[in-house]
Amino acid sequence: MRTLKSIFDFYLDASIHVALAVIAMAGVTFHLFGTLSDIDLLGFIFFSVIVCYNFIKYGVEAYKYLMVSNAYHKSIQIFSFLSFGFALYFFFQLDQSIWWGTIVLGLLSALYAVPLLPRAKNLRNLAGLKIYIVAFVWAGFTVLFPALDAHMPLHWDFWIAFAQRFLLVLILILPFEIRDLQWDDKSLRTLPQVLGVKNTKNVGTAMTMVFFLLTFLKDNIHPMEIGLRLALVFVLVLVLMSDKRMRSRYFVSFWVEAIPIFWFLLFWGVEKIF
């Protein structure tokens, strides 16, 4: 059991779980756009998310990322460097339009952790900006990149999908902000710090309603989209209404981050059956 727990902890701590959640969102986008999944794009997203998240979590300053003394973190560092190699391989298989998108989102992710100037704040420490950066980057990776990969025009339905994905990621971040309320620096001005836990949950619930209603603004709605989005909204509201479980590490780090994975599997399963 101890060995299994160690493997599971590494799976979470090395950002493998969050990377699967991100490619699950990209998979949903492929289904919604009616395009074929691109293994090169999915491979690039998976490995680059691992590199990006591990850099943010364990390498807020570059020298800390390169010089790690803790054996456990060292293993995550080695895994991250291997992932970087795979990410580079898949990157060069992609269309050049995705290269430019990656540069923009990559710079935004880097500035999230590392300040541009020595005495400047990084984007993470700018009051209230943290979750919007993460949501924008996730939406870029999981909606913009599949559209560019399929050479789709960025029409009205694309922007609705982008806005919905942005909202979805914001909602998924809220349980983490509530869990980390006791540890986050007050200067971050997270939503739970500004609004309180109860009001943050209410805002999250309102965002889920907007997320769902935006579906009806699309010109072309996928036959199963309304029902599957409604199921997702139900799960999101259930999570937001949780109280004691929200403070559990595994509930948030595993189950909340697994929601996009289950959503994709539900989407894929229903599409296969019907």
Side-chain angles (χ1 to χ4, degrees):
M1 288 298 293
R2 189 173 296 177
T3 302
L4 288 175
K5 185 180 183 301
S6 298
I7 294 171
F8 183 67
D9 284 341
F10 183 85
Y11 168 76
L12 294 178
D13 294 337
S15 304
I16 300 170
H17 190 55
V18 69
L20 287 175
V22 175
I23 63 169
M25 285 189 182
V28 170
T29 302
F30 280 119
H31 281 280
L32 290 175
F33 289 168
T35 57
L36 294 174
S37 299
D38 183 348
I39 190 64
D40 290 325
L41 178 60
L42 293 176
F44 169 68
I45 291 173
F46 177 77
F47 289 109
S48 59
V49 167
I50 289 173
V51 174
C52 182
Y53 264 74
N54 288 347
F55 179 75
I56 290 171
K57 286 195 292 186
Y58 306 110
V60 174
E61 297 175 24
Y63 76 91
K64 289 182 180 178
Y65 196 64
L66 295 172
M67 296 184 291
V68 179
S69 56
N70 181 287
Y72 182 65
H73 288 168
K74 189 73 176 177
S75 64
I76 292 175
Q77 182 192 52
I78 293 169
F79 179 71
S80 300
F81 279 119
L82 289 173
S83 296
F84 180 70
F86 282 111
L88 275 180
Y89 168 77
F90 287 115
F91 176 76
F92 288 112
Q93 313 305 312
L94 300 173
D95 190 87
Q96 288 190 9
S97 60
I98 297 178
W99 292 9
W100 290 110
T102 301
I103 291 170
V104 173
L105 295 179
L107 284 173
L108 194 59
S109 300
L111 290 174
Y112 176 82
V114 182
L116 185 63
L117 299 173
R119 295 185 179 181
K121 288 185 176 182
N122 56 32
L123 295 181
R124 182 176 183 174
N125 290 324
L126 292 179
L129 196 58
K130 170 186 169 183
I131 61 174
Y132 305 106
I133 296 168
V134 175
F136 185 82
V137 172
W138 274 48
F141 268 82
T142 64
V143 179
L144 176 62
F145 285 4
L148 293 177
D149 185 70
H151 302 287
M152 285 179 53
L154 303 186
H155 46 51
W156 174 254
D157 282 359
F158 163 81
W159 292 110
I160 293 294
F162 191 92
Q164 285 184 303
R165 193 60 49 82
F166 180 83
L167 280 172
L168 175 59
V169 178
L170 284 181
I171 297 162
L172 290 171
I173 291 173
L174 293 182
F176 289 88
E177 299 234 305
I178 293 171
R179 183 197 65 182
D180 296 339
L181 178 61
Q182 56 185 320
W183 299 295
D184 279 341
D185 191 292
K186 291 183 179 180
S187 64
L188 291 176
R189 294 187 61 78
T190 63
L191 281 180
Q193 289 174 338
V194 175
L195 302 177
V197 173
K198 183 178 179 181
N199 286 334
T200 298
K201 291 181 176 183
N202 291 336
V203 168
T205 303
M207 284 195 292
T208 61
M209 298 301 109
V210 176
F211 164 78
F212 177 68
L213 292 174
L214 280 173
T215 307
F216 297 98
L217 296 181
K218 295 178 69 175
D219 291 329
N220 297 295
I221 300 176
H222 191 284
M224 296 173 296
E225 190 171 355
I226 294 175
L228 292 176
R229 284 197 189 278
L230 192 59
L232 179 59
V233 164
F234 175 78
V235 173
L236 291 171
V237 171
L238 203 61
V239 167
L240 288 169
M241 291 301 105
S242 301
D243 190 14
K244 292 181 180 179
R245 288 182 179 179
M246 194 90 71
R247 305 192 183 278
S248 163
R249 179 202 170 198
Y250 290 118
F251 177 75
V252 176
S253 297
F254 180 75
W255 292 110
V256 173
E257 284 191 347
I259 289 174
I261 300 172
F262 291 133
W263 187 38
F264 167 74
L265 291 175
L266 182 62
F267 213 115
W268 178 81
V270 170
E271 198 168 65
K272 286 294 181 184
I273 294 171
F274 297 102

